[in-house]
Amino acid sequence: MAFPTDRPRRLRSSSSIRSLVRENRLSASQLILPLFIIHGTNKKEAIRSMPDVYRYSVDNLPPLIKEAMSVGIRSIILFGIPEKKDEMGSSALDPDGPVPTAVRMLKRDFPDLVVITDVCIDEYTTHGHCGLLKGEHIDNDTTLDCLAKMALVHAKAGADIVAPSDMMDGRVKAIREVLDKNGFSDTIILSYAVKYASAFYGPFRDAMMSGPQFGDRSSYQMDPANRMEAFREASLDVEEGADILMVKPALPYLDILRDLAGRFDLPLCAYQVSGEYATIMAAGKEGWIDTDRAMMESLLSIRRAGATMILTYFAIRAARLLAQSE
């Protein structure tokens, strides 16, 4: 039937009606808080390009975790910044490095917290690439052993989920085999299955001090122009044993997220990356947009596109707003 009988605005007539018929909802339990971990004690370092985001020493994590859990966040992901870097990323395998140390503390003091660890060597190497080098060539196959050993260090520390973000071919299989062989068959693999070579990573590299010292990462991260390649990458990771698939970045690739949601029956994660966060924060600071409304709209769009979970630097801020709206 047509107007005047058919009036879609009836279902928008009040806040309560809109809530009643809402198709997609956000909850704090769907949000994953990223944390940058550094060596030392009593450290909390500001990140210039990411307002309100900090690097923390392990001893300064508990108050932040308590705050996050108080507003309903149950999952975090750890990125480590080592004291020393070398060509081989050796510190990535140190069981007393910042990430394994943080994992042990968090699983001891916050046993209900889901602890995810990023598995990649870029922040541990002097060259800043996600794989080991032969000359200036990223050597895929020799990198796999290093990644698998790094994942095993994290699993031994108590990580619930390991998340390889390197985009080396075959890394999910290599990690799954090593975990299973060493008695960690229950450790979950969240694969950065579809990770594009994006301009939106800039502030993250500032935070991690891990930008490439030569070239870029286009030879292993995906071409932003490609859509079908995403299905191939995701399919391979599913075959190799991934438990959860990720699309990164989120907002510029909502079409890819939607496509994967229709093709795979695994949970999907989307990473609202540092550049997305910094863009909203910067525009909000200038008064050009309403920061909170833009934040919630962006997160809801990611959820609507098919994300089961969202990795976002807005996690605590968004969770507070969600708690107030209940």
Side-chain angles (χ1 to χ4, degrees), residues 213-263:
Q213 297 303 299
F214 64 89
D216 59 27
R217 293 170 178 163
S218 298
S219 69
Y220 43 100
Q221 295 177 357
M222 289 174 54
D223 186 337
N226 292 354
R227 173 175 170 266
M228 297 302 295
E229 186 182 12
F231 305 140
R232 184 182 184 195
E233 288 282 4
S235 295
L236 289 170
D237 284 2
V238 171
E239 291 173 9
E240 292 178 14
D243 301 290
I244 305 170
L245 302 175
M246 183 191 287
V247 174
K248 179 184 180 183
L251 289 176
Y253 299 95
L254 292 181
D255 59 323
I256 305 300
L257 183 60
R258 180 71 261 166
D259 286 340
L260 263 60
R263 289 198 177 207

Side-chain angles (χ1 to χ4, degrees), residues 113-126:
L113 183 71
V114 176
V115 177
I116 308 167
T117 61
D118 180 75
V119 176
C120 191
I121 63 170
D122 59 325
E123 62 264 39
Y124 297 90
T125 62
T126 49

Side-chain angles (χ1 to χ4, degrees), residues 3-319:
F3 178 85
T5 305
D6 193 349
R7 293 178 180 263
R9 283 184 56 192
R10 293 189 190 108
L11 299 182
R12 307 176 202 143
S13 59
S14 72
S15 175
S16 295
I17 292 294
R18 291 191 296 272
S19 179
L20 181 67
V21 300
R22 188 158 292 142
E23 297 173 27
N24 294 280
R25 300 177 189 274
L26 278 172
S27 72
S29 62
Q30 296 166 333
L31 305 179
I32 301 170
L33 175 65
L35 296 173
F36 300 113
I37 313 302
I38 55 177
H39 267 284
T41 57
N42 196 30
K43 290 183 179 180
K44 180 182 177 181
E45 299 176 352
I47 300 166
R48 182 185 59 83
S49 56
M50 299 178 71
D52 301 331
V53 178
Y54 301 87
R55 306 181 193 96
Y56 294 92
S57 56
V58 174
D59 60 306
N60 270 346
L61 286 178
L64 181 66
I65 298 302
K66 289 176 183 177
E67 179 185 5
M69 296 187 77
S70 73
V71 291
I73 293 170
R74 294 292 179 267
S75 305
I76 55 100
I77 184 168
L78 303 176
F79 298 91
I81 304 168
E83 189 174 26
K84 296 180 181 178
K85 301 185 181 188
D86 60 27
E87 284 284 312
M88 303 300 290
S90 304
S91 294
L93 307 184
D94 181 2
D96 295 317
V99 169
T101 301
V103 172
R104 286 191 293 271
M105 182 276 291
L106 292 170
K107 294 308 296 182
R108 182 192 69 224
D109 295 347
F110 304 93
D112 294 331
L113 183 71
V114 176
V115 177
I116 308 167
T117 61
D118 180 75
V119 176
C120 191
I121 63 170
D122 59 325
E123 62 264 39
Y124 297 90
T125 62
T126 49
H127 51 75
H129 277 285
C130 300
L132 301 178
L133 299 182
K134 285 188 176 179
E136 291 193 355
H137 172 69
I138 311 302
D139 189 26
N140 187 98
D141 293 5
T142 58
T143 303
L144 299 183
D145 180 61
C146 180
L147 295 170
K149 289 177 179 176
M150 182 180 182
L152 181 59
V153 168
H154 294 177
K156 286 181 176 179
D160 301 289
I161 302 174
V162 293
S165 62
D166 54 284
M167 290 300 286
M168 298 296 114
D169 295 335
R171 88 272 204 210
V172 172
K173 180 181 178 182
I175 291 170
R176 184 76 274 160
E177 288 179 349
V178 166
L179 291 177
D180 290 356
K181 181 179 178 181
N182 285 274
F184 294 96
S185 58
D186 289 336
T187 302
I188 296 165
I189 297 178
L190 190 172
S191 170
Y192 287 64
V194 180
K195 181 178 179 180
Y196 285 90
S198 174
F200 286 91
Y201 301 150
F204 177 90
R205 293 171 183 173
D206 181 22
M208 298 294 291
M209 298 171 281
S210 64
Q213 297 303 299
F214 64 89
D216 59 27
R217 293 170 178 163
S218 298
S219 69
Y220 43 100
Q221 295 177 357
M222 289 174 54
D223 186 337
N226 292 354
R227 173 175 170 266
M228 297 302 295
E229 186 182 12
F231 305 140
R232 184 182 184 195
E233 288 282 4
S235 295
L236 289 170
D237 284 2
V238 171
E239 291 173 9
E240 292 178 14
D243 301 290
I244 305 170
L245 302 175
M246 183 191 287
V247 174
K248 179 184 180 183
L251 289 176
Y253 299 95
L254 292 181
D255 59 323
I256 305 300
L257 183 60
R258 180 71 261 166
D259 286 340
L260 263 60
R263 289 198 177 207
F264 298 97
D265 58 4
L266 293 183
L268 287 178
C269 181
Y271 194 154
Q272 187 180 48
V273 299
S274 59
E276 298 173 65
Y277 172 85
T279 298
I280 293 173
M281 291 293 286
K285 181 180 179 181
E286 293 296 329
W288 297 334
I289 61 173
D290 181 318
T291 303
D292 285 343
R293 286 191 64 188
M295 169 186 70
M296 298 307 289
E297 184 178 340
S298 66
L299 291 171
L300 187 59
S301 74
I302 298 166
R303 177 78 180 105
R304 188 185 65 241
T308 313
M309 61 201 80
I310 304 171
L311 206 163
T312 176
Y313 302 95
F314 285 122
I316 292 178
R317 183 168 180 162

